[in-house]
Amino acid sequence: MAFVPMAIPWSPEHQMQRLQVTRKLLETEEEAAFPLGGTHPRYLYLASNHSNKWGHPRGYRIQTLSFAGEPLPQNSSMERAFSWGRYQLAVTQRKEEEPSSTSIYNLNDPWTPTVDFTDFINNETVSGQDLVAWVTAGFLHIPHAEDIPNTVTVGNGVGFFLRPYNFFDQDPSSDSADSIYFREDEDAGSCEVNPLACLAKAADCALDLPAFSHGGFSHS
């Protein structure tokens, strides 16, 4: 968002400031890396080459909720082992050799880390590529008397939302059925009788999760 000065039609000698949406396409990994505590776009979303029926690029918005403090100083000899903490959000090309932003072995030798996240950001293009969004979220909690006997969780929630942004043509919840009614002589597996029977086929972003089992329990 940017404030744009404009003349008031009924009072040309005065100006007013009007908010205006500004859009910028981020081309490189450096442009798509946002340091912790720095300027962060109000709206940031990953757009595809496909459009919805309104002509807007279909994509997902990343909305971060974080109260993280200052990262480890970069002049520290250990900082490279935790260099992911420099960024609130960084978007890079997806690579098989970059599966995680750190390594369990970084704890063993933080002065010579196995994985240095800053190596992932090397001016490669992010336009038209498979991408990974690395999000840092956290908060500081200093223990106090009211933590006994239990710590209140209100206000301590952090994380991020991956929200559809022009991904659908309208609010997808409007297609959710409130109730299903069918008679004994009707086929509950028919889409015409039971819209929920075809939900998996109709959902554009539904995951196809394979069956799994664990500890004697199975689910499909």
Side-chain angles (χ1 to χ4, degrees), residues 13 40 44 113 138 143 170 184:
E13 68 275 14
H40 190 277
L44 189 144
Q170 63 178 14
E184 183 179 359

Side-chain angles (χ1 to χ4, degrees), residues 144-217:
H144 50 88
E146 288 77 14
D147 287 336
I148 302 172
N150 61 285
T151 302
V152 177
T153 58
V154 176
N156 290 337
V158 296
F160 70 96
F161 295 97
L162 191 63
R163 305 177 62 176
Y165 195 81
N166 289 322
F167 188 90
F168 300 99
D169 296 331
Q170 63 178 14
D171 180 4
S173 67
S174 60
D175 296 325
S176 300
D178 293 329
S179 59
I180 303 297
Y181 175 78
F182 52 90
R183 299 188 305 270
E184 183 179 359
D185 59 335
E186 293 178 321
D187 181 13
S190 169
C191 299
E192 291 75 16
V193 176
N194 179 12
L196 294 182
C198 298
L199 185 60
K201 300 177 183 178
D204 291 331
C205 58
L207 297 176
D208 183 16
L209 299 176
F212 69 92
S213 61
H214 176 73
F217 295 93

Side-chain angles (χ1 to χ4, degrees), residues 13-96:
E13 68 275 14
H14 296 105
Q15 281 190 337
M16 63 180 293
Q17 299 288 334
R18 183 175 65 179
L19 273 175
Q20 179 176 298
V21 176
T22 60
R23 294 178 173 87
K24 179 181 179 182
L25 177 64
L26 306 178
E27 297 280 358
T28 66
E29 293 175 336
E30 272 74 8
E31 291 181 319
F34 301 97
L36 197 66
T39 303
H40 190 277
R42 195 162 190 174
Y43 275 71
L44 189 144
Y45 80 103
L46 309 180
S48 69
N49 294 325
H50 303 282
S51 301
N52 61 14
K53 75 173 186 179
W54 309 108
H56 299 292
R58 301 173 64 194
Y60 279 87
R61 176 190 174 194
I62 301 175
Q63 185 175 356
T64 306
L65 177 64
S66 176
F67 311 102
E70 294 295 323
L72 197 66
Q74 294 186 28
N75 58 9
S76 169
S77 59
M78 299 173 56
E79 195 274 339
R80 288 199 309 121
F82 313 99
S83 59
W84 51 265
R86 298 183 191 180
Y87 306 97
Q88 182 171 348
L89 171 67
V91 179
T92 65
Q93 281 192 26
R94 182 190 178 277
K95 298 179 180 179
E96 291 292 338

